[in-house]
């Protein structure tokens, strides 16, 4: 019953009960999520600054400066200088803003189109739906890579944006971003990179001497990048990021809000009122872990990914969809096995994987909360199910 005037003690008791059937990252059963546990140290910081509103940045000039600083630092990490942008509510909002910019930059196109791989995230379908864009999807090869020739063939004079993916949702694959960059170079087409997942993996993989093909602002024609703190950046939910190469044309993109209490401000976010606390939390996370700390976290995830791959090769009834490029593993049922049946059987044993029927794969994301013993138990259960 509502509005009883309960004490904090009673509220917590009731909430603990009501929320008791939520899953926890610590259980190890969440294997298919791209989000993870918030680092413990940042919780106090987040709560301390919880009422900052970046919808009215003139009131919170310090928080606004911190956002600029975070965007700039990440821009540098992504091989850029003079990078502008915003911390958003997630990859969807970042991708929506990027598509809106692309559309607005080409008012001359009557029926604008965007081109993306078939492995593109659903947020681009949402963008197409909301902004009346035609979305064209390029095929994948047998190894789930982008078929670049098909991709190229979809680009025409109505194309306002092409999207390269640096870490696909289903398998963590990276598109040939330098090739796309070369192709669109000199054409008036906005080149957006969706690194919602890979953005906080790839820079550190490079530091760890993994082979990483160019995916960021080091590719000359890249105009913008989505990269989410609330995925591998370990940020608070919600926090996404949109990073843009500074360009005078961007000045006409936002919406001016002249009546704000803190004074005139131009918004480019989809949302209006937005919390500054995730920005403050992410600034803290970056400065707490540093490059060294992130490298260690990514190394841990990659070591566990290798372990999972080894465990899977010993299991009959499934194969690896492809050699993982990052900490995402795709499992493919062997001939005669059914994806959804395997998924159901895993669910009965509490395992929560991500199932992609369109690619006939089960996805495991080896996030920092996933421990070795969870993967060992999972593969034993999988083996047992497939017996
Ligand atoms: N771009 C890519 C490449 C993504 O993988 C995702 C989300 C997005 C954009 C959109 O990000 P937001 O969800 O932040 O708007 N990828 C995950 C997925 O679809 C989202 C997710 C995260 C789903 C945690 C489930 C979950 O438990 O798998």
């Amino acid at each position: 019953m509502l509005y009883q005037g309960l004490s904090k003690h009673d509220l917590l008791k009731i909430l603990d009960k009501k929320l008791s059937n939520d899953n926890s990252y610590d259980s190890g059963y969440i294997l298919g999520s791209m989000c993870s546990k918030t680092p413990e140290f940042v919780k106090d910081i987040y709560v301390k600054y919880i009422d900052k509103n970046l919808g009215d940045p003139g009131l919170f000039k310090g928080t606004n400066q911190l956002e600029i600083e975070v965007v700039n630092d990440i821009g540098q990490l992504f091989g850029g200088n003079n990078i502008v942008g915003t911390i958003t509510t997630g990859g969807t909002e970042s991708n929506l803003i990027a598509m809106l910019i692309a559309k607005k930059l080409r008012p001359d196109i009557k029926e604008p189109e965007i081109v993306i791989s078939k492995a593109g995230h659903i947020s681009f379908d949402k963008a197409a739906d909301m902004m009346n864009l035609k979305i064209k999807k390029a095929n994948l090869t047998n190894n789930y890579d982008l078929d670049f020739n098909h991709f190229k063939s979809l680009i025409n004079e109505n194309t306002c944006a092409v999207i390269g993916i640096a870490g696909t949702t289903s398998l963590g694959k990276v598109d040939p971003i330098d090739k796309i960059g070369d192709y669109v170079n000199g054409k008036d087409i906005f080149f957006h990179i969706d690194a919602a997942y890979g953005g906080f993996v790839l820079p550190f993989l490079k530091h760890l001497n993994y082979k990483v093909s160019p995916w960021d602002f080091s590719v000359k024609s890249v105009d913008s990048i989505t990269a989410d703190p609330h995925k591998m950046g370990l940020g608070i939910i919600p926090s996404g990021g949109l990073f843009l190469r500074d360009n005078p044309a961007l000045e006409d993109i936002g919406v001016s809000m002249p009546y704000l209490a803190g004074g005139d401000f131009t918004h480019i976010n989809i949302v209006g009122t937005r919390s500054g606390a995730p920005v403050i939390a992410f600034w803290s996370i970056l400065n707490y872990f540093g490059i060294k700390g992130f490298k260690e976290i990514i190394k841990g995830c990659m070591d566990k990914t290798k372990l999972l791959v080894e465990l899977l090769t010993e299991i009959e009834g499934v194969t690896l969809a492809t050699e993982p490029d990052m900490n995402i593993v795709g499992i493919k049922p062997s001939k005669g096995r059914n994806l959804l049946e395997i998924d159901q059987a895993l669910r009965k044993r509490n395992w929560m994987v991500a199932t992609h029927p369109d690619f006939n794969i089960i996805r495991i994301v080896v996030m920092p909360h996933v421990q070795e013993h969870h993967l060992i138990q999972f593969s034993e259960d999988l083996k047992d199910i497939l017996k």
Side-chain angles (χ1 to χ4, degrees):
M1 210 188 306
L2 281 175
Y3 313 130
Q4 297 181 59
L6 296 172
S7 69
K8 183 176 171 187
H9 175 266
D10 287 348
L11 287 170
L12 281 171
K13 226 168 83 184
I14 297 168
L15 282 171
D16 277 346
K17 190 154 170 246
K18 281 187 183 290
L19 306 180
S20 64
N21 63 349
D22 280 3
N23 289 295
S24 84
Y25 295 109
D26 283 333
S27 72
Y29 286 122
I30 303 182
L31 290 183
S33 171
M34 286 187 166
C35 294
S36 201
K37 265 182 79 156
T38 304
E40 226 24 72
F41 83 91
V42 90
K43 291 183 179 169
D44 293 345
I45 298 176
Y46 179 71
V47 171
K48 178 167 181 196
Y49 301 113
I50 201 150
D51 49 13
K52 309 286 187 186
N53 170 23
L54 278 174
D56 196 346
L59 297 183
F60 302 98
K61 291 199 170 82
T63 310
N64 183 32
Q65 271 311 313
L66 212 65
E67 181 176 38
I68 294 169
E69 189 182 324
V70 168
V71 167
N72 213 301
D73 289 348
I74 300 302
Q76 278 185 37
L77 181 71
F78 294 169
N81 44 49
N82 286 334
I83 300 304
V84 296
T86 177
I87 299 301
T88 64
T89 53
T92 299
E93 190 190 354
S94 301
N95 289 338
L96 289 176
I97 302 169
M99 293 304 100
L100 188 61
I101 292 174
K103 186 182 178 188
K104 284 187 158 189
L105 288 175
R106 291 300 304 276
D108 54 309
I109 305 178
K110 282 206 189 66
E111 292 179 352
E113 302 179 356
I114 61 175
V115 178
I116 189 168
S117 123
K118 278 192 178 153
H121 187 257
I122 197 98
S123 46
F124 293 97
D125 298 275
K126 288 188 186 172
D129 192 19
M130 288 175 187
M131 298 167 202
N132 212 5
L133 301 163
K134 183 168 176 188
I135 182 164
K136 289 180 149 180
K137 297 187 181 178
N139 293 334
L140 304 181
T141 67
N142 288 339
N143 197 34
Y144 305 93
D145 289 312
L146 174 69
D147 177 343
F148 177 60
N149 283 329
H150 188 228
F151 186 90
K152 258 188 340 195
S153 74
L154 300 177
I155 300 172
N156 62 32
E157 68 282 359
N158 290 327
T159 309
C160 69
V162 293
I163 297 114
I165 310 168
T168 57
T169 303
S170 45
L171 286 167
K173 286 259 174 185
V174 181
D175 287 346
I177 285 159
D178 46 352
K179 276 200 206 165
I180 303 175
D182 282 347
Y183 188 72
V184 297
N185 193 21
K187 299 185 173 72
D188 192 4
I189 296 176
F190 195 80
F191 186 16
H192 176 65
I193 305 300
D194 185 0
Y197 186 81
F200 293 106
V201 181
L202 294 169
F204 308 111
L205 281 185
K206 206 168 164 184
H207 278 289
L208 291 165
N209 296 324
Y210 280 79
K211 201 176 147 268
V212 176
S213 54
W215 66 276
D216 56 10
F217 290 115
S218 64
V219 176
K220 219 171 59 197
S221 359
V222 167
D223 292 301
S224 62
I225 298 177
T226 286
D228 289 350
H230 72 195
K231 296 190 170 71
M232 283 302 289
L234 306 180
I236 297 276
I237 299 173
S239 48
L242 178 66
F243 307 89
L244 297 143
R245 215 188 276 278
D246 205 1
N247 175 346
L250 290 176
E251 273 164 30
D252 301 328
I253 295 294
V255 177
S256 165
M257 308 270 286
Y259 62 85
L260 295 175
D264 184 10
F265 204 85
T266 300
H267 275 197
I268 66 160
N269 293 65
I270 305 286
V271 296
T273 300
R274 63 186 176 101
S275 175
V279 176
I280 297 166
F282 192 50
W283 181 92
S284 309
I285 288 168
L286 289 171
N287 284 286
Y288 180 88
F289 289 116
I291 301 275
K292 190 164 166 273
F294 267 97
K295 245 169 68 180
E296 276 162 21
I297 291 165
I298 302 295
K299 183 173 183 305
C301 293
M302 291 309 287
D303 288 348
K304 285 177 266 177
T305 302
K306 268 187 218 144
L307 169 74
L308 177 61
V309 168
E310 282 164 22
L311 292 167
L312 288 171
T313 51
E314 288 163 17
I315 300 178
E316 254 176 70
V318 288
T319 51
L320 209 57
T322 178
E323 211 49 56
D325 290 333
M326 45 181 92
N327 51 333
I328 299 182
V329 178
I331 305 174
K332 212 175 161 66
S334 306
K335 237 195 166 119
R337 303 281 190 174
N338 181 291
L339 182 77
L340 298 178
E341 277 171 24
I342 299 174
D343 177 65
Q344 282 312 312
L346 285 170
R347 263 171 219 284
K348 273 203 190 120
R349 297 185 187 211
N350 295 327
W351 296 107
M352 283 156 284
V353 295
T355 303
H356 292 265
D358 39 348
F359 301 123
N360 196 31
I361 57 168
I362 282 169
R363 172 191 82 178
I364 309 279
V365 193
V366 188
M367 294 299 289
H369 65 264
V370 177
Q371 304 299 327
E372 257 183 48
H373 67 274
H374 300 140
L375 296 172
I376 293 169
Q377 185 60 50
F378 168 77
S379 40
E380 280 170 10
D381 277 352
L382 181 61
K383 199 177 201 168
D384 200 41
I385 286 166
L386 293 165
K387 239 199 249 155

